[in-house]
Structures are given as structure tokens and as C-alpha cells.
Amino acid sequence: MESEGKNNAKKEKIGTQPYKGVRDFYPEDQTLLNYILATERDVCRRFGYEEYHASILEPAELYRGKGADNEEIINEQTYTFMDRGGREVTLRPEMTPTVARMLAARRRDLGFPLRLFSTPNLFRYEATQRGRLREHWQLNVDLFGSDSLAADAEIISIAHALFMAFGASQSDFVIKLGSRSYLNALAAELGLSEENTRAMFALLDRKDKMPQEKFEADMEAIGVPLGKISADNPPEDVAAVLTLLSESGIDNAVFDPSIVRGFAYYTGVVFEVYDTHPENKRALCGGGRYDNLTKLFDDERVPAVGFGLGDVTVGHFLEVRGLIPPYLPSTRVYLAVPSEVHVATVQALAHELRQQGVTVAIDFGEKKLSDQIRQASKHKIPYLIVVGDTEAQTGTFVVRNLATGSDTTLKREQLAPFFTTL
Ligand code: HAM
């Protein structure tokens, strides 16, 4: 290798790190992501939600249309480029505009209330830090066509059910509810300009990130008197949703007037779920009611309520609580061979087992038996069988449990039932 380098002009090697802010998923990582997504799908289906999907690519105008006024997301946080045909394309930074577009396209054929979920990957050009990456997978759960606060309560109950399904207890997380409608009414009552209303939302959104005195001074400066926004008296819509939630046994939901959400499309009750563990401070999940987004596409209003839950923060939530299931590869059994001449024999047995639904990997006999066994253990494959002449002739096999070292002797026809019933 080195001598090659001396003769050639020194070639720059390509780095092995993934692109900034995105992740490589090796089998253990992919298994965890699969577990998170499978748990999410299972919970959504139990609530009667159907899965949908869409492309990563969207026309850039979807995020520039009227109403989509989250300047930060549009101008600074998207991956937007020109395709070869001169169209401006964006890698979706969130799913809500996409699902609103899909809904508007088929409004007449879709029955309401319509319950939908999806688990897309999203791209945001963010300053990367713990809990914030440039690509994440986000469960989106949305209910269309209902103005009832029972719909808001159902959506929040799903968020609650998800954490319980991950093995959490109610004290591990808190659901904080705020109200856009209340704050809009307050802004009207105080006669705030549109600009100052937006400034009030932005201040509330950043409240926890600034000293209390500065928050109070800035609020006063835009015309919101102290004490106007207090946590003591939940607005009517929030109070009604809290009652519905407690009637279904959800005791960890509270009113928090600082919950406003970053996106401007929200119109009613909004909420975020927080980990109560001090090491995982970011919102795990966020959403709320957004009744006007489909108006981007035509004049009809479709009431909507939903939320997004990211895999990164959920991963941290599971990690700090020891709730990540131990890794088990999907391969149940490894067939080792004393030498390369046994490959045909081992392939025949593997074929037979696969036809009966057993997940099997075989060795090609290029390394010593002890190395083959070490590799199987390294991959955490639970069982190993050495397939040589004796085994092939007698039709009797020794199944080794690689974790415990214990052996079980089985006849050929007993092998598949042994692995599939475990
Ligand atoms: P969001 O608050 O931007 O809402 O994202 C929802 C959740 O996705 C966050 O609470 C967080 O867990 C996760 N998340 C967001 N950005 C990142 C990131 N850069 N890295 C890792 N995780 C992230 C929405 O996106 C709304 N569209 C949700 C919604 C659906 N509202 C109604 N329906």
C-alpha cells in the first residue's frame, strides 16, 4: 500500500463520515429505528388511523405559499435546489404541507373524519446539536374534518399512548397544552398589531431560553401587560380538552401558556410533550389544531388536528430510561462448516429451513471452525449448528445456544419447529 503511494501523486481519500447532521444506520441502529416505527404504526392502527406516504421531493412553492409564514423554516432551514428542468425542488422539512396538499387533491373522494399517519424522513438545514439533526424520521398523526375538541383530545391521547407503548410511565413525560385561539383573542383585546402579535408568539416560544426579567420587559414593550398571561386559568378550549383527557385516565397533561408552537398555521389548541428527565430537555413531540392550511390550495376549509414525533428525541428518551430493547439480529441460526467441501451440504439444509420460515445464514468454510463460531457470536446470532459429514449422514444435529453454551440434539425434521416456535 505504502509503495503505491510513493509512486503515485498522493491521492486524497474520501472520508468515511456521513454528511453533516445525518446518520448511518448499521444493523443495530436500523433495528432500533424499526422498533420505534413499528411501535408507532401499531399504536396508530389501534386508534383507527391508516398509513399514507409521499415523495421526499416537493415543489419549493409548497413552503412559500401564503400562510406558510414560518420565515426561519422557509428561508434558512430547507434544502432547496433547481432540478435539471429548472424546477425549484425542496426536500420536505415537515409532512404537514404535504398531507394538506394530498387532502386538497382528493377532497371529494375522501370520507371525513379522515384519520391518517405516516413515518417520513424529513430534512432541515439546522445547526446540529443533541436532539437536532438535519435528517430525522417523524411520525405524523393527523385527523381531518372535525371541529370537535374530542378530536383534539383523541390526537393527544395517541401521543400519550405512544409513550406508554414504549414502556414509559406517566411520570416520565408531561403533555403541555397551550391555545393559539386564546392568544389571538388576547391580542385582539389588547389591540396588538400583527407584528406585535407575532412578536408575542415568538417571545412565548423562547420564554424558557431567556431570563424571566427580559421576558417580562419585552412583553411589556410590545403592549402585553404582566399577569395577562398566567398559568392559573386555562382558556376554555384547553380546559375542555384537559377534562376529556383526564376522563380517559391521562393525568400528566397541564396548561402551559408559553406553548405556542413555531409554525404559523396552528389555529387552536397546541401541545408539546416533554421528557421529565433533565438530560433530555427538548420537546419529544408537538402539534395542534390547524384549520386553515388546506386553504393554500382552494377556498374550502378543512378542520385539522395532528402532531409530529421525532425518532431522535424518542431514542434519547428510551436511552436515558433503559427502555431500548436488547439487540437481536433477524438471523436465528448460523450454519458453520468444517471445510469448504461441505458448502453444498450446508446450502441444502439452509434451503430446507428457509422454506419453513427459519432465518439462516451459512458459512463458506474459508476460515477455521473456531473463527466461524466467533463471527456468529459477534453478530449476536443466537444459535449455531456445525454441518459436516457425520451430521449429513446421520441426520442428527447439535444446536448450540451461543449465549449460554448449552447444546440440544435434534433430528433434521425437528430443526425448523425448534427455531420457529422459540
Ligand atoms: P415540529 O415541532 O417541527 O412539528 O416537529 C415535531 C417533532 O419532531 C419535534 O418535537 C422533535 O421531536 C422532532 N424534530 C423536529 N425537528 C427535528 C430535528 N431537526 N432533528 C430531530 N428531531 C426533530 C412539525 O413538524 C409539525 N409539522 C407537526 C404536525 C403534524 N403538526 C400537525 N401535524
Side-chain angles (χ1 to χ4, degrees):
M1 295 290 256
E2 218 177 302
S3 62
E4 259 175 49
K6 272 181 197 153
N7 298 335
N8 299 336
K10 211 177 174 195
K11 267 197 203 152
E12 197 54 40
K13 297 293 181 199
I14 298 170
T16 56
Q17 289 300 308
Y19 169 72
K20 186 174 162 67
V22 309
R23 292 162 289 170
D24 289 328
F25 291 81
Y26 288 88
E28 292 209 16
D29 314 309
Q30 185 64 42
T31 301
L32 174 60
L33 179 63
N34 288 347
Y35 163 74
I36 292 175
L37 300 183
T39 306
E40 292 174 349
R41 285 197 178 98
D42 181 50
V43 170
C44 291
R45 287 180 179 140
R46 275 193 263 149
F47 279 81
Y49 285 65
E50 298 293 337
E51 188 163 7
Y52 69 97
H53 200 51
S55 168
I56 288 173
L57 302 176
E58 283 285 5
E61 65 171 3
L62 185 61
Y63 310 101
R64 294 225 168 89
K66 49 181 165 29
D69 51 351
N70 187 320
E71 297 292 326
E72 194 192 358
I73 290 265
I74 302 155
N75 298 331
E76 293 161 26
Q77 293 196 352
T78 64
Y79 283 87
T80 298
F81 58 95
M82 283 290 182
D83 73 7
R84 288 168 207 271
R87 295 171 206 90
E88 214 182 357
V89 187
T90 297
L91 300 185
R92 59 178 173 224
E94 54 156 341
M95 200 61 166
T96 315
T98 299
V99 73
R101 178 179 62 68
M102 289 169 65
L103 188 90
R106 297 263 181 98
R107 194 197 306 279
R108 263 165 225 89
D109 314 329
L110 300 166
F112 295 103
L114 179 66
R115 294 177 162 92
L116 295 176
F117 79 92
S118 191
T119 58
N121 53 338
L122 309 178
F123 297 85
R124 295 185 188 179
Y125 194 80
E126 303 228 35
T128 55
Q129 47 190 292
R130 183 176 161 87
R132 278 284 174 273
L133 298 179
R134 291 186 172 176
E135 181 189 24
H136 75 284
W137 270 256
Q138 192 192 82
L139 168 70
N140 274 250
V141 187
D142 292 275
L143 197 165
F144 296 95
S146 172
D147 281 306
S148 169
L149 287 173
D152 301 61
E154 175 172 301
I155 281 292
I156 297 170
S157 313
I158 297 173
H160 179 273
L162 282 160
F163 288 102
M164 302 309 276
F166 283 126
S169 59
Q170 291 209 65
S171 58
D172 291 335
F173 62 103
V174 56
I175 307 167
K176 297 181 178 178
L177 277 65
S179 169
R180 277 280 181 118
S181 32
Y182 164 73
L183 290 172
N184 280 325
L186 180 71
E189 183 196 317
L190 295 172
L192 296 190
S193 65
E194 227 175 85
E195 195 189 332
N196 281 347
T197 307
R198 267 204 299 272
M200 174 178 76
F201 286 150
L203 278 172
L204 284 167
D205 199 31
R206 290 201 313 271
K207 184 174 183 285
D208 289 343
K209 294 173 195 134
M210 61 169 78
Q212 179 66 15
E213 308 81 68
K214 172 148 176 59
F215 170 75
E216 289 175 4
D218 287 3
M219 282 294 243
E220 295 254 15
I222 57 165
V224 185
L226 280 183
K228 256 297 173 192
I229 299 175
S230 96
D232 304 336
N233 278 320
E236 243 175 75
D237 51 2
V238 171
V241 172
L242 286 173
T243 304
L244 287 166
L245 291 176
S246 80
E247 279 166 9
S248 45
I250 297 175
D251 300 322
N252 56 344
V254 296
F255 168 55
D256 182 334
S258 70
I259 299 295
V260 289
R261 307 278 301 135
F263 298 99
Y265 50 64
Y266 293 109
T267 54
V269 173
V270 284
F271 73 98
E272 285 181 348
V273 177
Y274 284 86
D275 194 335
T276 51
H277 198 287
E279 271 174 41
N280 195 23
K281 275 192 172 158
R282 291 192 171 277
L284 297 160
C285 164
R289 180 167 280 283
Y290 56 104
D291 288 340
N292 299 323
L293 195 59
T294 54
K295 285 196 186 162
L296 281 176
F297 310 97
D298 57 33
D299 285 334
E300 256 176 88
R301 166 188 177 272
V302 177
V305 53
F307 69 88
L309 166 73
D311 74 302
V312 183
T313 36
V314 166
H316 290 158
F317 179 85
L318 300 178
E319 194 184 306
V320 295
R321 303 210 145 63
L323 291 173
I324 295 181
Y327 171 70
L328 195 65
S330 53
T331 310
R332 301 291 289 152
V333 54
Y334 198 75
L335 304 183
V337 283
S339 77
E340 284 179 83
V341 301
H342 298 98
V343 169
T345 314
V346 86
Q347 273 172 338
L349 178 63
H351 179 70
E352 217 175 285
L353 292 174
R354 286 173 189 146
Q355 284 199 313
Q356 296 173 83
V358 185
T359 48
V360 186
I362 66 167
D363 202 282
F364 301 123
E366 294 153 299
K367 288 188 190 137
K368 311 200 287 260
L369 207 46
S370 59
D371 286 335
Q372 297 176 34
I373 297 171
R374 197 167 317 119
Q375 289 311 314
S377 291
K378 197 167 174 179
H379 290 298
K380 302 201 169 86
I381 298 172
Y383 294 98
L384 178 115
I385 306 174
V386 178
V387 184
D389 293 334
T390 329
E391 289 78 10
Q393 277 154 21
T394 60
T396 304
F397 298 84
V398 177
V399 179
R400 167 153 303 178
N401 179 326
L402 287 175
T404 62
S406 70
D407 288 338
T408 311
T409 304
L410 295 172
K411 295 299 250 181
R412 198 171 181 116
E413 62 276 11
Q414 292 175 311
L415 291 174
F418 177 82
F419 293 118
T420 48
T421 52
L422 274 174

